[in-house]
Amino acid sequence: MAERVQQPPAKRLCCRPGYSTTCRQGQRAGGTVCGGSGSGQGGSSKTQSPESLLDIAARKVAEKWPFQRVEERFERIPEPVQRRIVYWSFPRSEREICMYSSFNTGGEESASSGESVDETRLPFRRGIALLESGCVDNVLQVGFHLSGTVTEPATPSEPEMVCSVAISFDRCKITSVTCGCGNKDIFYCAHVVALSLYRVRRPEQVKLHLPISETLFQMNRDQLQKFVQYLITVHHTEVLPTAQKLADEILSQNSEINQVHGAPDPTAGASVDDENCWHLDEEQVQEQVKLFLSQGGYHGSGKQLNLLFSKVREMLKMRDSNGARMLTLITEQFMADPRLALWRQQGTTMTDKYRQLWDELGALWMCIVLNPHCKPEQKAAWLRQLKKWNSVDVCPLEDGNHGNELPNLTNALPQGAHGNQDSGTRPHRTVFTRAIEACDLHWQDSHLQHIINDDLYTNYCYHDNTENSLFDSRGWPLWHEHVPTACARVDALRSHGYPREALRLAIAIVNTLRRQQQKQLELFRNHKKDLLHKGVTSITNLEGWVGHPLDPIGTLFSTLMETGRGDEDGSQGGFLDFSASTMSSSKYSELHLFPSTRRFLEEGESYLALAVETALMGLGQQRIMPDGLYAQEKVCRNEEHLIAKLQEVDLDDTLVKIFRKQAVFLLEGGPYSGLGELIYRESVPMHTFAKYLFTCLLPHDAELAYKIALRAMRLPVLESTAPSGDMSRPHHIVSVVPNRYPRWFTLSHIESQQCELASTMLTAAKGDARRLETVLESIQKNIHSSSHIFKLAQDAFKIATLMDSLPDITLLKVSLELGLQVMRMTLSTLNWRRREMVRWLVTCATEVGVYALDSIMQSWFTLFTPTEATSIVATTVMSNSTIVRLHLDCHQQENLASSARTLALQCAMKDPQNCALSALTLCEKDHIAFETAYQIVLDAATTGMSYTQLFTIARYMEHRGYPMRAYKLATLAMAHLNLSYNQDTHPAINDVLWACALSHSLGKNELAAIIPLVVKSVKCATVLSDILRRCTLTTPGMVALHSRRNSGKLMSLDKAPLRQLLDATIGAYINTTHSRLTHISPRHYSEFIEFLSKARETFLMAHDGHIQFTQFIDNLKQIYKGKKKLMMLVRERFG
């Protein structure tokens, strides 16, 4: 708490005009301890004597009446009566003190938040420790004011500190606190807790005085003067200026102080106009919320805000008016968050966690305005405030950033005036819209009052079997209302501390849902033929219950589960009375004689079973996928949360019966069920729910489990045709993503859940060929994502080849079939996992057997690209590891190799550029196949193959011992090559040098044939000079490529073919020199001189080379004489 150091001013003025000074003389202001004579307070005495009538009356007055009203009501109040009223006015329960001094009252919130909280650090726990260690002293109660000192023991880092604490209280509530510790927080500090608990636990040790004004009335003038002077003397440094100022004002006839009758008294209790509520530091609430919001979800701020929301719910449960006050303060800070305007301006979305905080804010306001004991003027004030927030431009919308134009469903209930409204006249629905609409709701409906107040409310003579009948055929009450609205009532009753009433209404709602489910099933059966003939259906629920902003199914489930585990804390045993008259005491005394609400359960049924059935009905409801990313994510999140709660329940025979019953309902429920035969194209898929049902039902009723799971596999939003009535027919629907707005933002998650469902069925069906075939058909028909089918194929493969058992050949075939489907789906599309998929398929086919490998090679063109077929499939099939794995004999090996060679040749014909080399490699051991592959290369060389590919194959041929074929391919490659003058680092240079060396090694004729090709293709002087130099070192045809030089006759540079190469090289140097000089910069001068030096070496190889080079240099000097510095360097080097 932000305890203010100074005591707040007195709330009211106190005086006793009817009292004379004479009757007071001789009396002294005495004090008695709280538990002194005539006390008789409950629980403080060790004897069991009954309470006195004085104490009973004083306690009731202290709880309900402001003390000013007591003074006004009676002319004189005996001092013993005043003392007992003052005594009983202090809170007697520690629960509220705990609530205002800690985030949790019993570890519930910390447990739910998933983090461990050190309770010893909570102010309430620390306050108890200070009290029990004797740190509280000087405790004094003067009227409605408690004071004392609390000593904070010294620590290694802090010295001992004595804190002065003052507490004001009224009608069993602490109304203000101050503490010298200077603590700044929302909740009371440990010192306030220690002093409060001292008064609660040890009232007999607290010295009690009447309000100070009463004591002053007992003094005469001399006593009053002495009192004031002593007070000033003791505290002259603090109060002397104030005392003088007050004295001056009192002595002035026209001063303001003399215009007021009486004087303030901080110990005199509350006035009639004071609101009776616990002290809440509003400024600190605002500051803390503002701080948490500014942290943007970091440093645990989101958890802190959720704890504040939990504190609001705790206050509401205690029926504390500060719950609404605190929520108002929180909401104002949320609305003032500068990020709202920024996000709206930038068009960006708020974070998911922040969005959930807004959802909780809206739900809390719904609870507050549905307070069954809310006064009309209070609700009107809240409505004005909600409308004000709702009208702000940046107010978040209910379903995220997407406006939802639903009609006013909150008020679609049997209460008359406020029915359906025209959706066209309504603006976008904000997080406050439902709370605003709920302000129109009331609790005066007589049928509703009977439901929530009476365990005996039945009508066995009621025979109205219409849709909106008030009772069912058993005479049990029903409540027909928009389901989320009805459940919001349940949440409001629970939130405001009426758990038994909430339970009664919840049971009535669930029984209504059961009856509606049965009626809908009968209706569908009567019209089934017509609907199946049409093959289409329309959605029956504008709003789904799972993922709804009010979380109706979660509310019903929690209410029933909490009752099933034991009565909720906070149940006060009483019932609500909404009528104008007050419940009679005789009726109240009979409350505990009423039968329990189990009266409205089936025979042998428990609250737990009812909760589970409710969750199954809600999860199985057919509902349309909402618009907008956040709303769709919320549907998924809410569904998973509810299923997680169900998974905590251990299934017994009773629950299994409920699962079977609901499974049958859902399968036969037509358009009302998400698992019915016909569903709307954009219905929320049932994959996650069906997986849970499948797992639960499988051990008990496998046939039903598979029916549910197979029915749920469909995903019609991705199908190009409307779903047929016969959902079991194994046909394949082309997968298309419809071009629609708004999109399914959670489609990838939905498809992954569909994949998980299929994987679960595959795992369960291992060893059952019939079921595996059915599951395979369902996968092929309904799953449209290649990556998910590939995952299923891998899953099936892993399950089929577990180490602890023999391979399941049927499941392996399913795995292979799925893999083949993936190959077909991804053959013409880009997929980064394609190579992985191909390798895996070959592995899978190997496990299935040699016939599977042969099959995929026979039909390779429908599964693989030519490159994949040769480089991965055929190569792997012909590897030694595959032969060993399959234990093949020679005949089988030859058959498999023959298929691989046939595949290789087909691929080479189709894509020679990428497959020719692989085909040659695969066909090496078969002469005819090899010759065929070589001919394919020759045929494609002139048109479809690049010089790089041809050089690669040529080198391969040389390596395999076919030098003439290598030479042939090299000449074909040279025809495609073109090296310009400046490409002296081109990667093809090595291939050109290799080709020339190969030709040189074969003989003069081959060299003479390739040199013209070189001259035509290569314009780079340095490359040509390198080739020329190599050709002059050895005799053509006399040595292999890398042998030493021999003594044969060298070729002449004056004759063909080297003369042609020499002239081309000199010409290339000349052209390159002029090209360089066109754009040369000074930093390249030295490099250019070195280039000319190499050129001179080549010039000198000709018989008249010296003359040619001299003329060349002279020409340069004349043409580029403007480049003086460069020409000077040329003269220095070459003359």
mmCIF file with all atom_site columns, all heavy atoms in Angstrom, residues 519-535:
data_model
loop_
_atom_site.group_PDB
_atom_site.id
_atom_site.type_symbol
_atom_site.label_atom_id
_atom_site.label_alt_id
_atom_site.label_comp_id
_atom_site.label_asym_id
_atom_site.label_entity_id
_atom_site.label_seq_id
_atom_site.pdbx_PDB_ins_code
_atom_site.Cartn_x
_atom_site.Cartn_y
_atom_site.Cartn_z
_atom_site.occupancy
_atom_site.B_iso_or_equiv
_atom_site.pdbx_formal_charge
_atom_site.auth_seq_id
_atom_site.auth_comp_id
_atom_site.auth_asym_id
_atom_site.auth_atom_id
_atom_site.pdbx_PDB_model_num
ATOM 1   N N   . LYS A 1 519 ? -33.510 -33.534 -29.307 1.00 0.00 ? 519 LYS A N   1
ATOM 2   C CA  . LYS A 1 519 ? -34.489 -32.998 -30.250 1.00 0.00 ? 519 LYS A CA  1
ATOM 3   C C   . LYS A 1 519 ? -33.862 -32.812 -31.644 1.00 0.00 ? 519 LYS A C   1
ATOM 4   O O   . LYS A 1 519 ? -34.475 -33.120 -32.668 1.00 0.00 ? 519 LYS A O   1
ATOM 5   C CB  . LYS A 1 519 ? -35.028 -31.652 -29.744 1.00 0.00 ? 519 LYS A CB  1
ATOM 6   C CG  . LYS A 1 519 ? -35.889 -31.752 -28.500 1.00 0.00 ? 519 LYS A CG  1
ATOM 7   C CD  . LYS A 1 519 ? -37.291 -32.226 -28.845 1.00 0.00 ? 519 LYS A CD  1
ATOM 8   C CE  . LYS A 1 519 ? -38.198 -32.205 -27.621 1.00 0.00 ? 519 LYS A CE  1
ATOM 9   N NZ  . LYS A 1 519 ? -39.530 -32.766 -27.931 1.00 0.00 ? 519 LYS A NZ  1
ATOM 10  N N   . GLN A 1 520 ? -32.623 -32.294 -31.660 1.00 0.00 ? 520 GLN A N   1
ATOM 11  C CA  . GLN A 1 520 ? -31.950 -32.082 -32.936 1.00 0.00 ? 520 GLN A CA  1
ATOM 12  C C   . GLN A 1 520 ? -31.681 -33.399 -33.645 1.00 0.00 ? 520 GLN A C   1
ATOM 13  O O   . GLN A 1 520 ? -31.802 -33.497 -34.879 1.00 0.00 ? 520 GLN A O   1
ATOM 14  C CB  . GLN A 1 520 ? -30.645 -31.315 -32.707 1.00 0.00 ? 520 GLN A CB  1
ATOM 15  C CG  . GLN A 1 520 ? -30.852 -29.870 -32.276 1.00 0.00 ? 520 GLN A CG  1
ATOM 16  C CD  . GLN A 1 520 ? -29.598 -29.253 -31.706 1.00 0.00 ? 520 GLN A CD  1
ATOM 17  O OE1 . GLN A 1 520 ? -28.588 -29.924 -31.513 1.00 0.00 ? 520 GLN A OE1 1
ATOM 18  N NE2 . GLN A 1 520 ? -29.660 -27.962 -31.411 1.00 0.00 ? 520 GLN A NE2 1
ATOM 19  N N   . LEU A 1 521 ? -31.341 -34.425 -32.884 1.00 0.00 ? 521 LEU A N   1
ATOM 20  C CA  . LEU A 1 521 ? -31.095 -35.738 -33.472 1.00 0.00 ? 521 LEU A CA  1
ATOM 21  C C   . LEU A 1 521 ? -32.378 -36.285 -34.096 1.00 0.00 ? 521 LEU A C   1
ATOM 22  O O   . LEU A 1 521 ? -32.361 -36.811 -35.219 1.00 0.00 ? 521 LEU A O   1
ATOM 23  C CB  . LEU A 1 521 ? -30.568 -36.694 -32.401 1.00 0.00 ? 521 LEU A CB  1
ATOM 24  C CG  . LEU A 1 521 ? -30.289 -38.130 -32.849 1.00 0.00 ? 521 LEU A CG  1
ATOM 25  C CD1 . LEU A 1 521 ? -29.250 -38.150 -33.950 1.00 0.00 ? 521 LEU A CD1 1
ATOM 26  C CD2 . LEU A 1 521 ? -29.844 -38.985 -31.670 1.00 0.00 ? 521 LEU A CD2 1
ATOM 27  N N   . GLU A 1 522 ? -33.487 -36.157 -33.386 1.00 0.00 ? 522 GLU A N   1
ATOM 28  C CA  . GLU A 1 522 ? -34.765 -36.626 -33.914 1.00 0.00 ? 522 GLU A CA  1
ATOM 29  C C   . GLU A 1 522 ? -35.144 -35.854 -35.169 1.00 0.00 ? 522 GLU A C   1
ATOM 30  O O   . GLU A 1 522 ? -35.637 -36.436 -36.152 1.00 0.00 ? 522 GLU A O   1
ATOM 31  C CB  . GLU A 1 522 ? -35.852 -36.468 -32.841 1.00 0.00 ? 522 GLU A CB  1
ATOM 32  C CG  . GLU A 1 522 ? -35.653 -37.391 -31.637 1.00 0.00 ? 522 GLU A CG  1
ATOM 33  C CD  . GLU A 1 522 ? -36.594 -37.047 -30.497 1.00 0.00 ? 522 GLU A CD  1
ATOM 34  O OE1 . GLU A 1 522 ? -37.426 -36.123 -30.672 1.00 0.00 ? 522 GLU A OE1 1
ATOM 35  O OE2 . GLU A 1 522 ? -36.510 -37.694 -29.433 1.00 0.00 ? 522 GLU A OE2 1
ATOM 36  N N   . LEU A 1 523 ? -34.913 -34.528 -35.153 1.00 0.00 ? 523 LEU A N   1
ATOM 37  C CA  . LEU A 1 523 ? -35.238 -33.705 -36.311 1.00 0.00 ? 523 LEU A CA  1
ATOM 38  C C   . LEU A 1 523 ? -34.430 -34.122 -37.529 1.00 0.00 ? 523 LEU A C   1
ATOM 39  O O   . LEU A 1 523 ? -34.939 -34.227 -38.647 1.00 0.00 ? 523 LEU A O   1
ATOM 40  C CB  . LEU A 1 523 ? -34.977 -32.231 -35.974 1.00 0.00 ? 523 LEU A CB  1
ATOM 41  C CG  . LEU A 1 523 ? -35.264 -31.214 -37.084 1.00 0.00 ? 523 LEU A CG  1
ATOM 42  C CD1 . LEU A 1 523 ? -36.756 -31.204 -37.409 1.00 0.00 ? 523 LEU A CD1 1
ATOM 43  C CD2 . LEU A 1 523 ? -34.813 -29.822 -36.670 1.00 0.00 ? 523 LEU A CD2 1
ATOM 44  N N   . PHE A 1 524 ? -33.153 -34.389 -37.312 1.00 0.00 ? 524 PHE A N   1
ATOM 45  C CA  . PHE A 1 524 ? -32.289 -34.776 -38.429 1.00 0.00 ? 524 PHE A CA  1
ATOM 46  C C   . PHE A 1 524 ? -32.693 -36.138 -38.986 1.00 0.00 ? 524 PHE A C   1
ATOM 47  O O   . PHE A 1 524 ? -32.716 -36.345 -40.206 1.00 0.00 ? 524 PHE A O   1
ATOM 48  C CB  . PHE A 1 524 ? -30.833 -34.801 -37.984 1.00 0.00 ? 524 PHE A CB  1
ATOM 49  C CG  . PHE A 1 524 ? -29.891 -35.314 -39.037 1.00 0.00 ? 524 PHE A CG  1
ATOM 50  C CD1 . PHE A 1 524 ? -29.693 -34.602 -40.215 1.00 0.00 ? 524 PHE A CD1 1
ATOM 51  C CD2 . PHE A 1 524 ? -29.219 -36.520 -38.871 1.00 0.00 ? 524 PHE A CD2 1
ATOM 52  C CE1 . PHE A 1 524 ? -28.829 -35.074 -41.190 1.00 0.00 ? 524 PHE A CE1 1
ATOM 53  C CE2 . PHE A 1 524 ? -28.369 -36.991 -39.846 1.00 0.00 ? 524 PHE A CE2 1
ATOM 54  C CZ  . PHE A 1 524 ? -28.175 -36.264 -41.006 1.00 0.00 ? 524 PHE A CZ  1
ATOM 55  N N   . ARG A 1 525 ? -33.031 -37.057 -38.090 1.00 0.00 ? 525 ARG A N   1
ATOM 56  C CA  . ARG A 1 525 ? -33.433 -38.381 -38.565 1.00 0.00 ? 525 ARG A CA  1
ATOM 57  C C   . ARG A 1 525 ? -34.680 -38.307 -39.436 1.00 0.00 ? 525 ARG A C   1
ATOM 58  O O   . ARG A 1 525 ? -34.820 -39.046 -40.411 1.00 0.00 ? 525 ARG A O   1
ATOM 59  C CB  . ARG A 1 525 ? -33.678 -39.296 -37.362 1.00 0.00 ? 525 ARG A CB  1
ATOM 60  C CG  . ARG A 1 525 ? -32.389 -39.808 -36.725 1.00 0.00 ? 525 ARG A CG  1
ATOM 61  C CD  . ARG A 1 525 ? -32.653 -40.571 -35.452 1.00 0.00 ? 525 ARG A CD  1
ATOM 62  N NE  . ARG A 1 525 ? -31.421 -41.146 -34.906 1.00 0.00 ? 525 ARG A NE  1
ATOM 63  C CZ  . ARG A 1 525 ? -31.339 -41.695 -33.691 1.00 0.00 ? 525 ARG A CZ  1
ATOM 64  N NH1 . ARG A 1 525 ? -32.411 -41.712 -32.900 1.00 0.00 ? 525 ARG A NH1 1
ATOM 65  N NH2 . ARG A 1 525 ? -30.203 -42.190 -33.273 1.00 0.00 ? 525 ARG A NH2 1
ATOM 66  N N   . ASN A 1 526 ? -35.591 -37.395 -39.089 1.00 0.00 ? 526 ASN A N   1
ATOM 67  C CA  . ASN A 1 526 ? -36.827 -37.255 -39.865 1.00 0.00 ? 526 ASN A CA  1
ATOM 68  C C   . ASN A 1 526 ? -36.580 -36.651 -41.242 1.00 0.00 ? 526 ASN A C   1
ATOM 69  O O   . ASN A 1 526 ? -37.347 -36.887 -42.179 1.00 0.00 ? 526 ASN A O   1
ATOM 70  C CB  . ASN A 1 526 ? -37.828 -36.388 -39.096 1.00 0.00 ? 526 ASN A CB  1
ATOM 71  C CG  . ASN A 1 526 ? -38.315 -37.070 -37.826 1.00 0.00 ? 526 ASN A CG  1
ATOM 72  O OD1 . ASN A 1 526 ? -38.301 -38.302 -37.740 1.00 0.00 ? 526 ASN A OD1 1
ATOM 73  N ND2 . ASN A 1 526 ? -38.739 -36.291 -36.849 1.00 0.00 ? 526 ASN A ND2 1
ATOM 74  N N   . HIS A 1 527 ? -35.527 -35.819 -41.367 1.00 0.00 ? 527 HIS A N   1
ATOM 75  C CA  . HIS A 1 527 ? -35.247 -35.140 -42.638 1.00 0.00 ? 527 HIS A CA  1
ATOM 76  C C   . HIS A 1 527 ? -33.930 -35.605 -43.257 1.00 0.00 ? 527 HIS A C   1
ATOM 77  O O   . HIS A 1 527 ? -33.381 -34.948 -44.141 1.00 0.00 ? 527 HIS A O   1
ATOM 78  C CB  . HIS A 1 527 ? -35.197 -33.621 -42.434 1.00 0.00 ? 527 HIS A CB  1
ATOM 79  C CG  . HIS A 1 527 ? -36.479 -33.044 -41.921 1.00 0.00 ? 527 HIS A CG  1
ATOM 80  N ND1 . HIS A 1 527 ? -36.781 -32.999 -40.581 1.00 0.00 ? 527 HIS A ND1 1
ATOM 81  C CD2 . HIS A 1 527 ? -37.550 -32.517 -42.574 1.00 0.00 ? 527 HIS A CD2 1
ATOM 82  C CE1 . HIS A 1 527 ? -37.973 -32.448 -40.426 1.00 0.00 ? 527 HIS A CE1 1
ATOM 83  N NE2 . HIS A 1 527 ? -38.466 -32.152 -41.610 1.00 0.00 ? 527 HIS A NE2 1
ATOM 84  N N   . LYS A 1 528 ? -33.437 -36.738 -42.793 1.00 0.00 ? 528 LYS A N   1
ATOM 85  C CA  . LYS A 1 528 ? -32.097 -37.180 -43.209 1.00 0.00 ? 528 LYS A CA  1
ATOM 86  C C   . LYS A 1 528 ? -32.025 -37.440 -44.714 1.00 0.00 ? 528 LYS A C   1
ATOM 87  O O   . LYS A 1 528 ? -31.071 -37.031 -45.389 1.00 0.00 ? 528 LYS A O   1
ATOM 88  C CB  . LYS A 1 528 ? -31.714 -38.440 -42.436 1.00 0.00 ? 528 LYS A CB  1
ATOM 89  C CG  . LYS A 1 528 ? -30.310 -38.944 -42.718 1.00 0.00 ? 528 LYS A CG  1
ATOM 90  C CD  . LYS A 1 528 ? -29.964 -40.105 -41.796 1.00 0.00 ? 528 LYS A CD  1
ATOM 91  C CE  . LYS A 1 528 ? -28.549 -40.595 -42.048 1.00 0.00 ? 528 LYS A CE  1
ATOM 92  N NZ  . LYS A 1 528 ? -28.182 -41.689 -41.128 1.00 0.00 ? 528 LYS A NZ  1
ATOM 93  N N   . LYS A 1 529 ? -33.053 -38.107 -45.260 1.00 0.00 ? 529 LYS A N   1
ATOM 94  C CA  . LYS A 1 529 ? -33.007 -38.466 -46.683 1.00 0.00 ? 529 LYS A CA  1
ATOM 95  C C   . LYS A 1 529 ? -32.919 -37.223 -47.561 1.00 0.00 ? 529 LYS A C   1
ATOM 96  O O   . LYS A 1 529 ? -32.132 -37.165 -48.510 1.00 0.00 ? 529 LYS A O   1
ATOM 97  C CB  . LYS A 1 529 ? -34.236 -39.292 -47.041 1.00 0.00 ? 529 LYS A CB  1
ATOM 98  C CG  . LYS A 1 529 ? -34.219 -40.699 -46.453 1.00 0.00 ? 529 LYS A CG  1
ATOM 99  C CD  . LYS A 1 529 ? -35.422 -41.501 -46.928 1.00 0.00 ? 529 LYS A CD  1
ATOM 100 C CE  . LYS A 1 529 ? -35.377 -42.917 -46.349 1.00 0.00 ? 529 LYS A CE  1
ATOM 101 N NZ  . LYS A 1 529 ? -36.575 -43.710 -46.771 1.00 0.00 ? 529 LYS A NZ  1
ATOM 102 N N   . ASP A 1 530 ? -33.708 -36.204 -47.216 1.00 0.00 ? 530 ASP A N   1
ATOM 103 C CA  . ASP A 1 530 ? -33.689 -34.980 -48.017 1.00 0.00 ? 530 ASP A CA  1
ATOM 104 C C   . ASP A 1 530 ? -32.332 -34.296 -47.956 1.00 0.00 ? 530 ASP A C   1
ATOM 105 O O   . ASP A 1 530 ? -31.790 -33.842 -48.966 1.00 0.00 ? 530 ASP A O   1
ATOM 106 C CB  . ASP A 1 530 ? -34.778 -34.013 -47.525 1.00 0.00 ? 530 ASP A CB  1
ATOM 107 C CG  . ASP A 1 530 ? -36.177 -34.561 -47.794 1.00 0.00 ? 530 ASP A CG  1
ATOM 108 O OD1 . ASP A 1 530 ? -36.294 -35.433 -48.669 1.00 0.00 ? 530 ASP A OD1 1
ATOM 109 O OD2 . ASP A 1 530 ? -37.115 -34.124 -47.111 1.00 0.00 ? 530 ASP A OD2 1
ATOM 110 N N   . LEU A 1 531 ? -31.775 -34.225 -46.755 1.00 0.00 ? 531 LEU A N   1
ATOM 111 C CA  . LEU A 1 531 ? -30.491 -33.531 -46.585 1.00 0.00 ? 531 LEU A CA  1
ATOM 112 C C   . LEU A 1 531 ? -29.365 -34.267 -47.291 1.00 0.00 ? 531 LEU A C   1
ATOM 113 O O   . LEU A 1 531 ? -28.515 -33.660 -47.943 1.00 0.00 ? 531 LEU A O   1
ATOM 114 C CB  . LEU A 1 531 ? -30.168 -33.374 -45.093 1.00 0.00 ? 531 LEU A CB  1
ATOM 115 C CG  . LEU A 1 531 ? -31.003 -32.340 -44.337 1.00 0.00 ? 531 LEU A CG  1
ATOM 116 C CD1 . LEU A 1 531 ? -30.756 -32.436 -42.843 1.00 0.00 ? 531 LEU A CD1 1
ATOM 117 C CD2 . LEU A 1 531 ? -30.676 -30.934 -44.824 1.00 0.00 ? 531 LEU A CD2 1
ATOM 118 N N   . LEU A 1 532 ? -29.344 -35.593 -47.157 1.00 0.00 ? 532 LEU A N   1
ATOM 119 C CA  . LEU A 1 532 ? -28.289 -36.364 -47.811 1.00 0.00 ? 532 LEU A CA  1
ATOM 120 C C   . LEU A 1 532 ? -28.431 -36.312 -49.321 1.00 0.00 ? 532 LEU A C   1
ATOM 121 O O   . LEU A 1 532 ? -27.449 -36.326 -50.055 1.00 0.00 ? 532 LEU A O   1
ATOM 122 C CB  . LEU A 1 532 ? -28.327 -37.819 -47.328 1.00 0.00 ? 532 LEU A CB  1
ATOM 123 C CG  . LEU A 1 532 ? -27.919 -38.049 -45.874 1.00 0.00 ? 532 LEU A CG  1
ATOM 124 C CD1 . LEU A 1 532 ? -28.025 -39.531 -45.522 1.00 0.00 ? 532 LEU A CD1 1
ATOM 125 C CD2 . LEU A 1 532 ? -26.511 -37.546 -45.616 1.00 0.00 ? 532 LEU A CD2 1
ATOM 126 N N   . HIS A 1 533 ? -29.663 -36.241 -49.797 1.00 0.00 ? 533 HIS A N   1
ATOM 127 C CA  . HIS A 1 533 ? -29.886 -36.148 -51.239 1.00 0.00 ? 533 HIS A CA  1
ATOM 128 C C   . HIS A 1 533 ? -29.341 -34.826 -51.790 1.00 0.00 ? 533 HIS A C   1
ATOM 129 O O   . HIS A 1 533 ? -28.701 -34.782 -52.842 1.00 0.00 ? 533 HIS A O   1
ATOM 130 C CB  . HIS A 1 533 ? -31.373 -36.262 -51.549 1.00 0.00 ? 533 HIS A CB  1
ATOM 131 C CG  . HIS A 1 533 ? -31.682 -36.119 -53.018 1.00 0.00 ? 533 HIS A CG  1
ATOM 132 N ND1 . HIS A 1 533 ? -31.353 -37.083 -53.947 1.00 0.00 ? 533 HIS A ND1 1
ATOM 133 C CD2 . HIS A 1 533 ? -32.281 -35.098 -53.707 1.00 0.00 ? 533 HIS A CD2 1
ATOM 134 C CE1 . HIS A 1 533 ? -31.720 -36.676 -55.143 1.00 0.00 ? 533 HIS A CE1 1
ATOM 135 N NE2 . HIS A 1 533 ? -32.286 -35.478 -55.028 1.00 0.00 ? 533 HIS A NE2 1
ATOM 136 N N   . LYS A 1 534 ? -29.555 -33.748 -51.021 1.00 0.00 ? 534 LYS A N   1
ATOM 137 C CA  . LYS A 1 534 ? -29.036 -32.443 -51.447 1.00 0.00 ? 534 LYS A CA  1
ATOM 138 C C   . LYS A 1 534 ? -27.527 -32.387 -51.310 1.00 0.00 ? 534 LYS A C   1
ATOM 139 O O   . LYS A 1 534 ? -26.845 -31.708 -52.073 1.00 0.00 ? 534 LYS A O   1
ATOM 140 C CB  . LYS A 1 534 ? -29.670 -31.321 -50.606 1.00 0.00 ? 534 LYS A CB  1
ATOM 141 C CG  . LYS A 1 534 ? -31.159 -31.146 -50.861 1.00 0.00 ? 534 LYS A CG  1
ATOM 142 C CD  . LYS A 1 534 ? -31.729 -30.075 -49.936 1.00 0.00 ? 534 LYS A CD  1
ATOM 143 C CE  . LYS A 1 534 ? -33.226 -29.917 -50.141 1.00 0.00 ? 534 LYS A CE  1
ATOM 144 N NZ  . LYS A 1 534 ? -33.809 -28.927 -49.200 1.00 0.00 ? 534 LYS A NZ  1
ATOM 145 N N   . GLY A 1 535 ? -26.994 -33.092 -50.299 1.00 0.00 ? 535 GLY A N   1
ATOM 146 C CA  . GLY A 1 535 ? -25.541 -33.124 -50.122 1.00 0.00 ? 535 GLY A CA  1
ATOM 147 C C   . GLY A 1 535 ? -24.942 -31.854 -49.575 1.00 0.00 ? 535 GLY A C   1
ATOM 148 O O   . GLY A 1 535 ? -23.742 -31.663 -49.601 1.00 0.00 ? 535 GLY A O   1
#
